[in-house]
Amino acid sequence: MAQADEVLDIGSRWELFVDEYLVAEKSGVALKLHDPVKKEIVLTTDQPWEGPTCAYFTVIQDGRKVRMYYRGSAGGSDHSDDQVTCVADSEDGIHFTRPKLGLIEAGGTKENNVIWRGVEAHNFSPFLDENPQARPEQRYKALGGVKAPGKNWMTGATPGGLYAFASSDGVHWQKMKPEPVMTKGAFDSQNLAFWDGARRRYACFSRIFVDKIRAVQSNESQDFLTWTEPVAHRYAEGVPLEHFYTSATVPCPTAPHLLVCFPKRYVTTRQKIPEHKFKGVSDAVFMSSRDGVNWDRPFLEAWVRPGLDQKNWTDRNNMTANGIIDTGDGEWSLYISEHYRNADNRMRRITVRKQGFASMHADAKGGEFVTKPLRFEGGKLVLNYATSAAGSIQIEVQDEAGTVLATMPELYGDELEAKSVDMEALKGKTIRLRVKMKDADLYALRFGD
């Protein structure tokens, strides 16, 4: 966190109100978490090679194509070589089809969507490598693998680990080296990686156990083969240690310096449906980070609840897929699992307002906040905001001493990129923003042209 008197150089980047990074003081306003909207079912894993425990989904947007990768687990246990990795394709992020690839026999046929067979398919998690130095034949990369079974698997003190994979097209894959590239961890979950352009590194977020609680660790690499020692996530004092089964960590699409994360929170001792064989209920939560190690959790409540559907109150449901897709019209799409262990195990699309995971919120009584000192680039202050018909947002631009330099007329409405205060005359100066709000949400701001 920046200190109150520290000058923040935010250039022209978007800053989302998922934390209080910009805030020096506030009165009558507070951060608010916004629930996603549940949309349609996009895939039911009902093919012979898939099964009721398909899991660990990843979605990737490659130009106009959206790809969904997932584990087909009809072949056996977590450590079975009969597990497969499947792919489904979409042009809009809503309607998915299974390509008939003819690569690997599964379910008694090669006319399937299987791209890999083996124990690494347990949690094979690909990404589109945006490293400008990435070779064309390694345009896609992935991690996959699992710890071998053993008495000390909860501490990670068993053989096995994560293997590195590469592909030119996301369909034909090969290992980048025969040995695991990472061995310190439990890995019995979705372990993901991506090119972290803001910090110019590959980042990996994987499963560990802390005092027998499922948790997340991170490693980094320059070449995707040699990784640093893992570091466990850190939280503010007073934040409870809860079971995080997966993390679904990604750079925020419009603000890649900000990492957003959608862990599946697992409550191991509860059993809502008595006739279900396994204990445990789960939901999805939200948190963010500006370095990948220290994580902000101002919202301890659920981001997605199981809801009225009783099949979502059984174990290992409500797992957010890895990835955020821009499906247009100011919405981002994510995907969440439902009906695990049932014949209609499936993925549902959920949507959020663009940059709208959370906001600085004021109710009808009104309130305000003042930012820390800021340096910026760009000639206009741009806002992503919404108000009621009676609500409003008004902004004063101040110098560091609090003298008013410019004032924005009262703003009301609902806009993703509202150009407000003209900042041309203030370029190069250090400023603060005083934001007065009433029945309104401010999701994000930036300085741009």
Side-chain angles (χ1 to χ4, degrees), residues 258-274:
L258 180 69
L259 301 178
V260 289
C261 183
F262 310 88
K264 190 189 84 169
R265 176 171 57 182
Y266 192 39
V267 184
T268 60
T269 56
R270 287 187 166 186
Q271 187 167 10
K272 179 65 176 175
I273 310 301

Side-chain angles (χ1 to χ4, degrees), residues 6 20 48 51 126 142 146 151 161 167 176 179 188 194 224 249 279 296 325 332 367 370 395 418 420-421 431 439:
E6 179 183 349
E20 295 193 2
V146 66
K151 292 182 179 179
S167 170
M176 296 175 69
E179 303 83 22
D188 63 319
F194 51 83
F224 203 66
T249 305
K279 280 188 175 182
D296 279 297
I325 304 301
W332 287 344
V370 179
I395 296 180
S420 55
V421 184
I431 57 101
D439 199 2

Side-chain angles (χ1 to χ4, degrees), residues 202-223:
Y202 291 102
C204 171
F205 294 88
S206 60
R207 162 73 77 76
I208 55 172
F209 281 82
V210 176
D211 297 329
K212 296 187 178 182
I213 300 293
R214 293 167 177 86
V216 186
Q217 67 179 3
S218 63
N219 309 62
E220 59 183 81
S221 173
Q222 291 299 311
D223 61 4

Side-chain angles (χ1 to χ4, degrees), residues 380-391:
K380 291 282 187 180
L381 176 59
V382 184
L383 306 179
N384 182 343
Y385 79 99
T387 76
S388 69

Side-chain angles (χ1 to χ4, degrees), residues 151-209:
K151 292 182 179 179
N152 297 320
W153 68 276
M154 291 183 77
T155 65
T158 57
L162 297 182
Y163 293 85
F165 295 81
S167 170
S168 62
D169 59 4
V171 174
H172 302 86
W173 292 84
Q174 61 182 5
K175 286 183 178 178
M176 296 175 69
K177 62 184 295 187
E179 303 83 22
V181 297
M182 221 175 295
T183 57
K184 293 183 178 180
F187 304 138
D188 63 319
S189 178
Q190 186 174 35
N191 310 286
L192 58 91
F194 51 83
W195 172 250
D196 184 0
R199 284 158 280 270
R200 301 195 59 79
R201 60 172 188 171
Y202 291 102
C204 171
F205 294 88
S206 60
R207 162 73 77 76
I208 55 172
F209 281 82

Side-chain angles (χ1 to χ4, degrees), residues 240-260:
L241 185 61
E242 300 179 289
H243 284 277
F244 285 168
Y245 204 93
T246 55
S247 74
T249 305
V250 292
C252 183
T254 56
H257 66 287
L258 180 69
L259 301 178
V260 289

